[in-house]
Amino acid sequence: MSGLSTPTYPRESDAASVAPGGRIEVRHVSQRFGDVLAVDDVSFTIEPNRITGLLGRNGSGKTTLLSIMAAFRKPDAGGVFIDGEPLFENPALTSQIAFIREGGDTVESSEKVSEAFRYAAWLRPNWDADYAERLVETFRLPVKQKIDRLSRGQRSALGIILGLAARTPIAIFDETYLGLDAPARYAFADAVLADYMDAPRTFILSTHLIEEMAPLFESVLILDRGTVLAHRDTEDLLAEGTAITGPVDQVDAFTAGMRVIGRRTLGRTASAMAMAPLDAAQRQRAAADGLDLAPIALQDLFVHLTGGAPIATPDVTPREGTS
Amino acid sequence: MFDERSPIYRQIADQITNDIVRGTLQEDEQIMSTNQYAAFYRINPATAAKAFQQLVDEGVLYKRRGIGMFVAPGSRDRLLGQRRDRFFAEVVDPMLSEARAIGIPLADIVRRLEAVGEDVPAPGSGT
Amino acid sequence: MSASMSSARPASSSRRPAGVGGRFPWIVASGQLAFTLLSAVGFAVAVAVVVISIAWRSDVTASIWEASSNAVPWYAAFMAGYTFYQVVPLLVANGKTRRDASIDAAQVIGAQTLVISLLTTLGYLVEWAVYRWQGWPLGTIDGDHLFTRHTQVGAIFWESLLTISVWSAIGAFVGAAFYRYEQWGWFSLLPAVLILIGVGLFITTKAPLFENVIEHALSGGGRSLPAATVAAAIAVAISAAILWRIVRDMPLRRWR
């Protein structure tokens, strides 16, 4: 396996032409809509040239935050800075960001897809028409079709192509996978990775498909109700979570004092999810107590950190008469 | 390709060490680059890089600047040595506690070992 | 910033940040101008039909083109409004600043103004030729204009330029207001009307609804090209100020 031949890349390396992404600093950004505080005094820094996943439930303020980070909106308070310079209305910086919302902000829907590419070529200094063409083939996008006649998946594919072929130092994709079938989603992941490896840039992907996209993310930022719940390297965040399964009493004794973010029971067996990195001694103790330790998948971590599943976890007890 | 039991970078590191131990990877042979791993498994290249760094720290791999990662000389022997050291703690002892838990007498285990274990290499051989 | 972005590809487009104004937005202008030319052809055909049907039953005694050209400022206003409602947000969403996008839009609207004025003037000339050919009387042009005869090409063109400029500028901020404030954008019609009346004192805003107001205001007389030019310039400046207040920190709407 380690000796496998090189997989083919979609494009030749032309790294010199694509500038690396700058450091994105969000400083004390707040945004209110009526009585709703969509973004609540949020501050964080996204290091350049990483693929970062932005996770958050519906209504967590993700899209609002991303809009502010792309200068689509000026926040009520605070600001966004790229390499220390304020972003809003700064032409040298706004041109570096491609923010793709769902199907992309492009020409009128009555126009053809080819018109969208024509405008993109004019608007994006780094527009790579050859790359766009290859992506069109990969996603099977009908270029002569009117945009309002595209299926949802095709519309998403258009947004993806507009974002990738723009080859901007910072590319932000907000829920661009809606309607994409599984092969197309893999193609998107492959395209992002190939592009990233070819010319390292900053990618921020906001998604609900956490498990599928998690391996792509070097860092992950979890937003909940307008505040940052966690912002860490994916591996570091995953290292903190452990699922402890075993007899109820043992589990409860083991997890006493730990930050338990979820717990389920099945008869006399319990499974607790704890945000607590375990050292070797604790692991040995767990083994001795007959407890099973396992890491927690990012999606499960996310669900439990953001308040768990909406429906209460049932305590399932065996039916009468069964063994 | 990757299961949920351990972090991806550790699984990659384990795959590489397994390949070295089995002889699929020879000493001073170049392994796939982080980018190749990333493209093949559809993961972030930083994850592969973390696996490599861990193996470099452990002396299993070495890096040649501008070229890539190579299997360190003597790493196979070292890995085998580590595995031998861990064999009793990680393989035999758990087997014994399992036997204890289900009530298998030690004599049965010894009998079984003698019957089946004839082709276990004699101490000192390098295979 | 420029240093790190230097390109190794000779065929690549300019690497300077999109913030430098001055490059004419051909791609937007060509689409809109094509639409205007097409509309002009249709409009001319409609006017010709009107003229023919009048000539069929009675005599053509007045300038039909002059009456018809009342509609033209509305067209210009709507096109300018569209430019700020649809095109400017598209530009901003693709990396331009609101300032640069507005400059692009202004250039497109400027081109439209020029072309529409040329077409309007051309219309008078064509009418002059047709009436001469048919033997219909050409006489003085009625209405509150800065010109009285078909042959005063310079004055015709200049007045059209001023009128279209003012209406475009107003259309622009009304369009922006509707984009930003949605239904509250209707309130922007108030300053729009005020500006139009104010300017109308100096030139003509000959469009339905305004005629009577203007005629009353004009009983004092005193219209001239220089005065009209100054008035139009002030009107455009005020409109631009209103427009900029709306656009400079305008948030982009939800994706649709």
Side-chain angles (χ1 to χ4, degrees):
Chain A
M1 162 182 27
S2 313
L4 277 173
S5 60
T6 317
T8 21
Y9 286 79
R11 65 187 305 284
E12 304 246 302
S13 176
D14 200 358
S17 65
V18 180
R23 168 175 290 107
I24 305 172
E25 280 176 74
V26 174
R27 297 185 199 165
H28 296 290
V29 162
S30 294
Q31 182 66 42
R32 179 179 287 278
F33 296 110
D35 353 324
V36 179
L37 193 55
V39 180
D40 189 358
D41 194 35
V42 162
S43 298
F44 58 86
T45 300
I46 299 211
E47 295 297 326
N49 303 323
R50 293 180 160 215
I51 303 179
T52 301
L54 176 62
L55 314 178
R57 299 190 60 175
N58 291 330
S60 57
K62 270 190 330 220
T63 299
T64 305
L65 178 61
L66 290 175
S67 297
I68 293 169
M69 286 167 68
F72 274 34
R73 171 181 283 280
K74 189 175 185 203
D76 291 337
V80 179
F81 298 80
I82 313 257
D83 285 332
E85 295 294 318
L87 166 67
F88 194 73
E89 287 296 286
N90 186 332
L93 298 179
T94 55
S95 56
Q96 288 187 33
I97 303 177
F99 178 33
I100 304 298
R101 312 186 282 181
E102 293 189 53
D105 289 86
T106 182
V107 297
E108 291 214 66
S109 306
S110 51
E111 300 278 4
K112 294 190 194 158
V113 170
S114 49
E115 185 72 358
F117 288 145
R118 216 163 69 92
Y119 263 76
W122 169 55
L123 287 166
R124 299 289 187 187
N126 278 5
W127 180 257
D128 188 337
D130 290 329
Y131 187 33
E133 216 176 285
R134 279 190 293 264
L135 289 170
V136 161
E137 271 173 53
T138 305
F139 289 99
R140 305 189 187 172
L141 190 64
V143 170
K144 294 281 198 299
Q145 184 77 281
K146 293 203 173 158
I147 294 175
D148 53 17
R149 303 282 309 276
L150 296 177
S151 70
R152 191 169 205 194
Q154 289 171 329
R155 190 76 173 90
S156 293
L158 173 60
I160 288 167
I161 297 172
L162 289 173
L164 288 176
R167 311 217 87 212
T168 45
I170 298 170
I172 307 177
F173 292 89
D174 189 14
E175 304 288 357
T176 32
Y177 332 113
L178 299 178
L180 283 186
D181 53 30
R185 293 203 302 270
Y186 282 6
F188 172 61
D190 286 337
V192 168
L193 274 179
D195 211 344
Y196 174 69
M197 291 190 286
D198 187 63
R201 294 134 66 199
T202 301
F203 281 91
I204 302 174
L205 310 181
S206 151
T207 180
H208 287 310
L209 303 171
I210 298 172
E211 267 323 287
E212 193 170 302
M213 297 284 156
L216 296 178
F217 303 148
E218 188 176 341
S219 312
V220 85
L221 198 158
I222 301 180
L223 201 68
D224 192 39
R225 282 174 279 216
T227 54
V228 175
L229 214 55
H231 180 37
R232 223 87 56 80
D233 280 3
T234 315
E235 293 292 347
D236 293 342
L237 186 64
L238 290 172
E240 277 194 37
T242 316
I244 302 135
T245 311
V248 178
D249 298 330
Q250 310 277 35
V251 169
D252 289 344
F254 189 83
T255 59
M258 289 184 189
R259 184 182 166 204
V260 174
I261 58 175
R263 187 175 169 279
R264 313 181 95 178
T265 56
L266 176 65
R268 280 192 282 268
T269 311
S271 183
M273 306 208 191
M275 288 297 281
L278 303 178
D279 57 30
Q282 286 171 304
R283 290 185 179 274
Q284 279 181 335
R285 206 187 116 208
D289 288 351
L291 295 173
D292 178 69
L293 300 177
I296 305 176
L298 185 61
Q299 184 159 287
D300 294 317
L301 263 181
F302 168 75
V303 168
H304 288 95
L305 285 172
T306 56
I311 303 163
T313 311
D315 274 334
V316 182
T317 46
R319 277 199 290 268
E320 288 291 321
T322 59
S323 52
Chain B
M1 280 183 256
F2 296 114
D3 58 50
E4 290 173 4
R5 300 296 302 179
S6 59
I8 295 175
Y9 76 89
R10 186 154 327 142
Q11 293 184 45
I12 292 176
D14 290 344
Q15 281 168 0
I16 295 175
T17 52
N18 281 340
D19 280 352
I20 294 174
V21 165
R22 284 197 199 98
T24 314
L25 276 175
Q26 300 292 323
E27 294 183 357
D28 290 313
E29 187 177 333
Q30 186 174 11
I31 62 173
M32 279 208 290
S33 68
T34 54
N35 284 2
Q36 287 169 306
Y37 264 97
F40 185 77
Y41 290 114
R42 211 172 277 119
I43 58 172
N44 194 299
T47 310
K50 188 165 181 177
F52 291 2
Q53 189 54 47
Q54 188 173 54
L55 292 175
V56 166
D57 293 342
E58 291 172 5
V60 175
L61 299 176
Y62 68 92
K63 181 175 176 178
R64 282 173 61 187
R65 269 200 160 278
I67 306 177
M69 292 289 186
F70 293 79
V71 179
S75 56
R76 182 163 178 271
D77 293 334
R78 268 198 299 280
L79 285 170
L80 284 173
Q82 285 171 14
R83 292 207 178 180
R84 287 194 192 108
D85 292 341
R86 300 198 314 241
F87 178 73
F88 289 96
E90 288 184 4
V91 180
V92 176
D93 292 351
M95 184 263 284
L96 289 174
S97 39
E98 171 77 359
R100 212 173 291 126
I102 58 179
I104 296 183
L106 185 59
D108 290 358
I109 299 175
V110 173
R111 243 199 313 280
R112 176 71 173 188
L113 288 175
E114 283 167 351
V116 171
E118 276 158 8
D119 50 355
V120 171
S125 71
T127 322
Chain C
M1 184 56 61
S2 333
S4 68
M5 284 176 80
S6 59
S7 168
R9 288 186 296 171
S12 75
S13 56
S14 168
R15 297 302 304 254
R16 62 187 167 82
V20 181
R23 265 206 311 181
F24 187 74
W26 284 109
I27 191 174
V28 182
S30 59
Q32 287 203 10
L33 289 174
F35 185 78
T36 293
L37 286 169
L38 216 58
S39 309
V41 168
F43 183 71
V45 166
V47 170
V49 167
V50 168
V51 169
I52 291 170
S53 50
I54 292 177
W56 199 260
R57 272 170 295 144
S58 65
D59 298 318
V60 179
T61 51
S63 166
I64 307 296
W65 184 250
E66 190 275 334
S68 313
S69 57
N70 291 335
V72 177
W74 292 95
Y75 172 84
F78 274 102
M79 287 302 284
Y82 169 82
T83 305
F84 273 87
Y85 188 87
Q86 174 72 22
V87 180
V88 165
L90 167 62
L91 268 44
V92 173
N94 278 273
K96 288 213 172 199
T97 55
R98 287 152 184 79
R99 178 185 165 270
D100 291 331
S102 301
I103 291 172
D104 278 356
Q107 291 181 70
V108 172
I109 293 172
Q112 285 272 59
T113 302
L114 194 65
V115 168
I116 292 172
S117 302
L118 284 169
L119 289 171
T120 306
T121 311
L122 185 65
Y124 278 101
L125 285 173
V126 167
E127 188 176 67
W128 177 80
V130 168
Y131 278 31
R132 279 270 299 252
W133 167 51
Q134 287 291 327
W136 296 326
L138 271 170
T140 327
I141 297 177
D142 264 335
D144 314 304
H145 287 281
L146 296 169
F147 53 89
T148 47
R149 309 199 75 85
H150 282 73
T151 45
Q152 290 172 292
V153 178
I156 294 173
F157 175 75
W158 195 250
E159 180 193 292
S160 177
L161 206 62
L162 298 181
T163 307
I164 302 297
S165 297
V166 172
W167 279 73
S168 294
I170 288 169
F173 76 69
V174 170
F178 274 106
Y179 180 83
R180 182 166 187 173
Y181 304 113
E182 298 183 46
Q183 58 267 36
W184 299 106
W186 286 102
F187 282 103
S188 67
L189 291 179
L190 185 59
V193 167
L194 289 175
I195 294 172
L196 282 173
I197 293 178
V199 172
L201 296 172
F202 295 91
I203 53 174
T204 183
T205 54
K206 208 142 192 308
L209 303 181
F210 288 111
E211 266 180 50
N212 293 332
V213 178
I214 302 305
E215 241 146 347
H216 279 286
L218 286 174
S219 50
R223 264 172 293 127
S224 70
L225 267 176
T229 307
V230 170
I234 293 173
V236 169
I238 294 173
S239 300
I242 297 173
L243 176 65
W244 185 239
R245 284 306 301 272
I246 298 172
V247 174
R248 63 191 243 242
D249 57 355
M250 177 173 83
L252 293 185
R253 280 196 182 177
R254 299 181 68 85
W255 185 82
R256 53 210 157 114

